Amino acid sequence: MEEKFENEDLIVIDGTVDTVMYENKDNGYTVCLLETEDELITAVGIMPCTEEGEIIRAQGKWETHPSYGKQFRVVYYEKQLPATGAAMIKYLASGAIKGVGKKTAEKIVGMFGDETLEIIENAPHLLCDIPGIKPKKAQEISEAFKNQFGMRNIMLFLREYFGPSTIMKIYKRWGSGSVDVIKQNPYILCDEIYGIGFERADKFALSLGVDLASPYRIKSCVVYALNSNAMSNGHVFIPKKRLAEHIAGMIDCSPDAAEDAIDVLTEEKKTVIVRYFDQECVYLREYYEAERYIVQKLMLLDKVSGAAYIEDSYSLIKMVEEEEDVEYEALQKKAISQAVSSGVMLLTGGPGTGKTTIIRAVIRIFDKLGIKVALAAPTGRAAKRMSETTQREAKTIHRLLEMEYTADDRPHFRRDEDNLLEESVIIVDEASMVDTLLMASLLKAVKPGARFILIGDADQLPSVGAGNVLCDLLAGDIFHSVRLTEIYRQARESRIVTNAHAINDGELPVLDDKKGDFFFLSREDENQIASTISDLCMNRLPRKYGKDIISEIQIITPSRKGVAGTEILNERLRNVQNPPSPSKKEKKVRDITFREGDKVMQIRNNYSIEWTRAGEDGEGMFNGDIGVIQTIDNVNEKMYIDFDGKLTEYSYDELDDIEHAYAITIHKSQGSEYPVVIIPAYMYSPRLLTRNLLYTAVTRAQKMVIIVGRAEIVRMMVENKRLAKRYTGLRYMLEAYDT
């Protein structure tokens, strides 16, 4: 039977599963032959636990696969109970219910008739009245039936709110009892199912009639607020009073009720309350334990490794100078000596101050001493750049720690306290980007006695994730540290470098140097700014430097909104650089239309995405990774994206993690460098007109910076040294240890 599905462009087909040709046990993707009243058809889609002989109702669309021909792509499905005696016999004897053959099926249906399925599900002991069926077998028949139709109940219960892949995760977690578990506490979904947030769970819970003042609801909202503030604002904790007021505003409960919920969560050991600056401050337990671990492990490394002081570090430096025919400045020698001889060392400085020179010297010395060194960075781009400048392999921190996945798709590192890294020196570049949880995970894998060296620019924006680790460690003033301030001769020739330092020092950059690598184009309004940027990308820069320049240009803007924000600029530039074509397939997701050839960015960490590159396989794409869409396969609902040589396969369910990247925000540019950077300067929100935002944007450029807009805006940003407040506890914990 075939009919149009109400209110959707879907077709409904009823049929009996004839043959299951393929099933992926992990995600439920199934290919089967479905016998309808008229024909035998091929059905494909997420249909977990589908068995031959089952009657199903499938909702979906017809499509033509290039290799397999016409098939029915299932969007929703539900298992139907057989209604007639003949249908019951056919179903029971099909193999769907293990241990029941045709003869046994005929006996069961013959005895119980229309009540057969009710008896099997709710009164299996009655099956023992049939010769040959013992109590154990009766129970096995009942359990097999319940498992088969447990998924049906779950699909019917959840499908209006969650997609098939999410429902499959739920089924794998709680099995056929999922509905009962969720009805008891719908908020368990956001606690235990990776990818379901509070807002989705809350919408679903309220549809079930959950009380607005339910303790489950308030507690879940507390956890959500702490998590969302960690991800969006970088807060590791929030003052209790402020958190309670925030919760009250979110879900219309009283601040007292929110505080009560916080106290219960603390009793349940899901949150931790610590007193800082005469206030009670609330952590999620994992963030509290992460900060505490960072402090404890760094103090241990500094004590143990620092005890093994290398007394002849300066003679080793002199040896490297002679071999390399260089002469290090006094501050560089100090930094190299401390890096070599200290258990923990922090090195910070802006562009052109010689951080890379110091890294190379430190590596040379450890090589001479026969000490193994690991180089790491928080992003793929940063690791690649570190490899290029040191001529040594550098890995992302995730790769260094050998990331893998748990059964519920959560990331897990194989390298930890029980499986330590072998290297005796760990050097981390772009350390300002390393958040609290990642730093704790890295330190867990560092063996006692190893040396730990963090290198970064403390004046750049802090990590995207929660925390402000590098700045807090520097402010704690416990570990050896060196701040590089002098711009070296070669770097001084770059206006990018000198202007970046001027901005950081609160001075206006030179905007009228037409011969350097830093340019300013005065434009008064947003439309002029947007038009000029488009012209630069498509005409002026390619005309002067060649067509290849297009792939080297990155527009970096403080804001997503406005005519010169990322949303409008992306649409405008995409239509110019990669216009529609009959030869280019498209896919619309939310309000975004993706096209083959589009420049795109991964906007959040996805640890399960698989990639291949030159025979190498790996997993994980990370916030800020930029790639180009190679192929859109609308038949199989797949999109293939090339991220700097890593070819990845995205299902359409994963495209919420992708957006256009012709223009990106400054925050998203952290840890990356681009040959040419274009920065729109217009009236953003006042909170975005800050010095460190402009400084971060300028320091992303390797060869050229072009600011397009109003000089007044540049001046306002330089003069505004306001930093967004982050609630972090590392500094307080270090002070406690120091006393």
Side-chain angles (χ1 to χ4, degrees):
M1 182 185 78
E2 180 176 312
E3 60 180 285
K4 284 285 186 179
F5 185 50
E6 186 179 352
N7 299 325
E8 289 191 43
D9 189 25
L10 297 180
I11 293 169
V12 175
I13 291 180
D14 294 327
T16 302
V17 179
D18 180 88
T19 307
V20 177
M21 303 168 68
Y22 171 79
E23 182 186 12
N24 185 317
K25 299 290 186 182
D26 292 329
N27 60 22
Y29 183 82
T30 302
V31 179
C32 67
L33 294 179
L34 197 62
E35 184 182 356
T36 70
E37 291 180 354
D38 305 315
E39 59 182 331
L40 193 67
I41 67 170
T42 301
V44 301
I46 297 179
M47 298 178 283
C49 306
T50 296
E51 300 281 353
E52 295 173 0
E54 290 185 317
I55 302 169
I56 66 171
R57 166 164 284 200
Q59 301 159 17
K61 294 181 178 182
W62 288 106
E63 61 184 27
T64 302
H65 191 280
S67 301
Y68 304 115
K70 186 178 180 182
Q71 57 188 23
F72 190 74
R73 176 161 296 277
V74 177
V75 178
Y76 305 108
Y77 92 112
E78 60 181 276
K79 298 181 180 183
Q80 303 283 89
L81 293 170
T84 65
M88 290 182 196
I89 292 171
K90 184 177 181 180
Y91 166 70
L92 292 172
S94 68
I97 306 299
K98 299 296 187 280
V100 178
K102 185 176 180 182
K103 290 184 177 179
T104 302
E106 289 174 344
K107 291 178 182 177
I108 294 172
V109 175
M111 178 171 287
F112 300 111
D114 293 344
E115 296 180 347
T116 294
L117 301 182
E118 175 71 21
I119 296 294
I120 291 174
E121 183 175 13
N122 298 313
H125 62 280
L126 296 178
L127 297 177
C128 297
D129 294 339
I130 298 173
I133 298 181
K134 305 289 185 186
K136 182 180 178 181
K137 185 176 180 179
Q139 194 60 41
E140 289 174 349
I141 292 171
S142 181
E143 290 300 319
F145 177 80
K146 288 177 181 178
N147 286 335
Q148 283 297 308
F149 283 90
M151 176 56 74
R152 171 182 181 268
N153 296 332
I154 297 166
M155 291 287 289
L156 290 172
F157 185 56
L158 299 173
R159 76 177 192 185
E160 291 185 16
Y161 296 91
F162 307 104
S165 57
T166 300
I167 294 174
M168 184 64 185
K169 290 181 183 177
I170 294 168
Y171 179 76
K172 288 173 67 176
R173 175 66 181 86
W174 296 296
S176 57
S178 297
V179 173
D180 292 334
V181 171
I182 295 167
K183 281 183 175 178
Q184 182 178 353
N185 174 20
Y187 297 95
I188 199 172
L189 290 169
C190 50
D191 293 338
E192 299 200 26
I193 302 298
Y194 190 61
I196 297 181
F198 171 78
E199 292 174 318
R200 290 177 72 192
D202 190 47
K203 184 178 180 182
F204 172 67
L206 294 178
S207 75
L208 300 180
V210 170
D211 190 341
L212 292 173
S214 165
Y216 287 128
R217 184 172 189 246
I218 301 174
K219 287 197 301 179
S220 185
C221 188
V222 170
V223 174
Y224 168 73
L226 288 168
N227 268 319
S228 63
N229 270 282
M231 292 185 289
S232 301
N233 301 316
H235 298 317
V236 177
F237 65 80
I238 300 177
K240 186 179 181 181
K241 293 291 185 184
R242 180 174 176 180
L243 177 60
E245 290 170 359
H246 180 62
I247 300 298
M250 284 182 64
I251 59 173
D252 196 25
C253 69
S254 71
D256 287 344
E259 288 202 35
D260 289 343
I262 294 168
D263 291 338
V264 172
L265 285 165
T266 304
E267 291 173 5
E268 295 172 351
K269 299 189 182 303
K270 294 178 180 178
T271 57
V272 176
I273 298 177
V274 180
R275 182 167 287 276
Y276 297 136
F277 44 84
D278 295 326
Q279 292 190 67
E280 286 188 309
C281 300
V282 186
Y283 283 89
L284 285 173
R285 177 164 288 277
E286 65 173 331
Y287 284 100
Y288 171 75
E289 291 180 348
E291 283 200 329
R292 187 174 66 172
Y293 187 89
I294 290 170
V295 172
Q296 291 173 341
K297 186 63 172 282
L298 288 176
M299 297 294 283
L300 174 66
L301 292 175
D302 200 48
K303 181 179 179 180
V304 175
S305 305
Y309 184 86
I310 300 176
E311 295 184 0
D312 61 346
S313 60
Y314 278 92
S315 63
L316 289 166
I317 293 171
K318 186 173 179 62
M319 193 183 300
V320 173
E321 284 181 316
E322 292 172 352
E323 291 178 355
E324 298 289 327
D325 192 24
V326 298
E327 185 175 351
Y328 300 118
E329 300 289 339
L331 191 58
Q332 289 181 314
K333 289 180 181 179
K334 178 184 177 183
I336 297 167
S337 175
Q338 289 192 357
V340 170
S341 58
S342 305
V344 177
M345 193 270 185
L346 314 173
L347 177 65
T348 184
T353 56
K355 296 191 298 293
T356 300
T357 299
I358 292 169
I359 295 174
R360 288 199 293 258
V362 169
I363 293 171
R364 286 293 305 275
I365 290 173
F366 282 125
D367 283 347
K368 289 181 176 297
L369 296 171
I371 298 174
K372 293 180 67 176
V373 178
L375 305 182
T379 68
R381 283 177 175 265
K384 182 180 179 182
R385 190 169 66 252
M386 195 180 190
S387 293
E388 292 169 349
T389 57
T390 62
Q391 298 300 300
R392 297 282 292 266
E393 182 186 23
K395 300 178 179 179
T396 63
I397 296 173
H398 295 83
R399 186 181 173 200
L400 181 69
L401 298 180
E402 299 176 16
M403 188 185 66
E404 58 184 17
Y405 305 92
T406 61
D408 59 349
D409 294 330
R410 297 177 188 270
H412 169 74
F413 297 116
R414 290 187 62 237
R415 293 289 185 175
D416 56 18
E417 291 169 302
D418 298 320
N419 185 23
L420 297 167
L421 293 168
E422 298 170 1
E423 293 84 355
S424 297
V425 178
I426 312 297
I427 302 177
V428 182
D429 199 11
E430 294 286 356
S432 65
M433 292 185 62
V434 183
D435 62 49
T436 300
L437 296 181
L438 185 58
M439 182 62 74
S441 294
L442 175 59
L443 284 167
K444 285 178 182 177
V446 178
K447 64 185 180 183
R451 302 182 189 278
F452 194 69
I453 304 167
L454 294 178
I455 302 165
D457 187 346
D459 295 314
Q460 288 190 28
L461 295 172
S463 58
V464 175
N468 198 4
V469 177
L470 180 62
C471 285
D472 282 352
L473 294 178
L474 288 166
D477 198 26
I478 288 178
F479 308 109
H480 289 290
S481 66
V482 173
R483 179 180 285 270
L484 304 172
T485 56
E486 183 178 351
I487 307 172
Y488 288 91
R489 185 177 58 194
Q490 186 175 357
R492 284 198 298 269
E493 297 173 1
S494 168
R495 187 63 74 181
I496 296 173
V497 173
T498 57
N499 274 343
H501 283 270
I503 291 167
N504 200 38
D505 293 336
E507 301 171 4
L508 284 175
V510 177
L511 300 179
D512 57 356
D513 186 351
K514 305 299 184 183
K515 297 180 180 180
D517 51 10
F518 194 108
F519 303 94
F520 175 76
L521 302 179
S522 179
R523 301 291 187 271
E524 285 301 312
D525 64 52
E526 292 182 1
N527 286 304
Q528 289 178 331
I529 293 170
S531 295
T532 299
I533 290 173
S534 181
D535 185 49
L536 283 167
C537 293
M538 296 308 300
N539 299 305
R540 295 170 65 174
L541 291 175
R543 192 164 54 242
K544 186 171 183 177
Y545 300 102
K547 288 186 178 181
D548 289 344
I549 192 71
I550 294 176
S551 63
E552 297 184 347
I553 298 170
Q554 185 61 62
I555 294 96
I556 301 178
T557 176
S559 178
R560 297 181 62 87
K561 304 299 181 182
V563 176
T566 59
E567 293 178 356
I568 293 177
L569 275 178
N570 268 317
E571 188 64 21
R572 183 169 187 160
L573 292 168
R574 193 277 299 259
N575 287 332
V576 175
Q577 293 189 23
N578 187 36
S581 167
S583 64
K584 297 177 181 177
K585 294 191 285 293
E586 296 183 350
K587 170 62 182 176
K588 188 172 182 178
V589 181
R590 310 180 302 280
D591 296 325
I592 302 173
T593 298
F594 293 108
R595 184 177 301 139
E596 290 176 342
D598 276 351
K599 183 179 182 181
V600 294
M601 171 185 281
Q602 178 79 20
I603 62 171
R604 61 179 63 85
N605 292 343
N606 186 328
Y607 301 98
S608 61
I609 288 283
E610 297 179 352
W611 52 262
T612 60
R613 180 175 62 188
E616 177 189 9
D617 295 329
E619 293 180 324
M621 299 305 303
F622 304 103
N623 189 3
D625 287 344
I626 290 177
V628 177
I629 298 175
Q630 299 296 303
T631 307
I632 295 175
D633 183 355
N634 286 319
V635 173
N636 294 301
E637 298 186 352
K638 301 286 186 182
M639 186 180 292
Y640 298 88
I641 305 175
D642 185 342
F643 289 94
D644 198 23
K646 293 180 179 178
L647 187 63
T648 59
E649 177 187 294
Y650 285 74
S651 69
Y652 283 0
D653 289 341
E654 297 168 316
L655 295 183
D656 283 346
D657 291 351
I658 298 294
E659 63 182 32
H660 288 118
Y662 299 94
I664 64 176
T665 64
I666 297 172
H667 285 87
K668 292 293 185 184
S669 73
Q670 287 176 260
S672 298
E673 287 186 347
Y674 313 95
V676 180
V677 168
I678 300 176
I679 307 169
Y682 64 99
M683 184 56 75
Y684 327 112
S685 165
R687 66 184 181 84
L688 297 175
L689 294 173
T690 64
R691 183 185 300 175
N692 73 327
L693 266 177
L694 181 60
Y695 174 77
T696 300
V698 169
T699 55
R700 300 306 88 208
Q702 296 169 314
K703 300 177 181 178
M704 186 185 301
V705 169
I706 305 173
I707 298 178
V708 183
R710 296 162 57 188
E712 175 192 2
I713 299 299
V714 177
R715 178 185 57 77
M716 291 173 64
M717 295 183 78
V718 170
E719 292 177 352
N720 182 8
K721 60 179 184 179
R722 171 185 171 273
L723 297 174
K725 171 72 175 174
R726 285 195 170 190
Y727 290 115
T728 62
L730 268 183
R731 188 172 179 179
Y732 303 108
M733 291 184 181
L734 285 168
E735 289 174 356
Y737 265 86
D738 197 33
T739 55

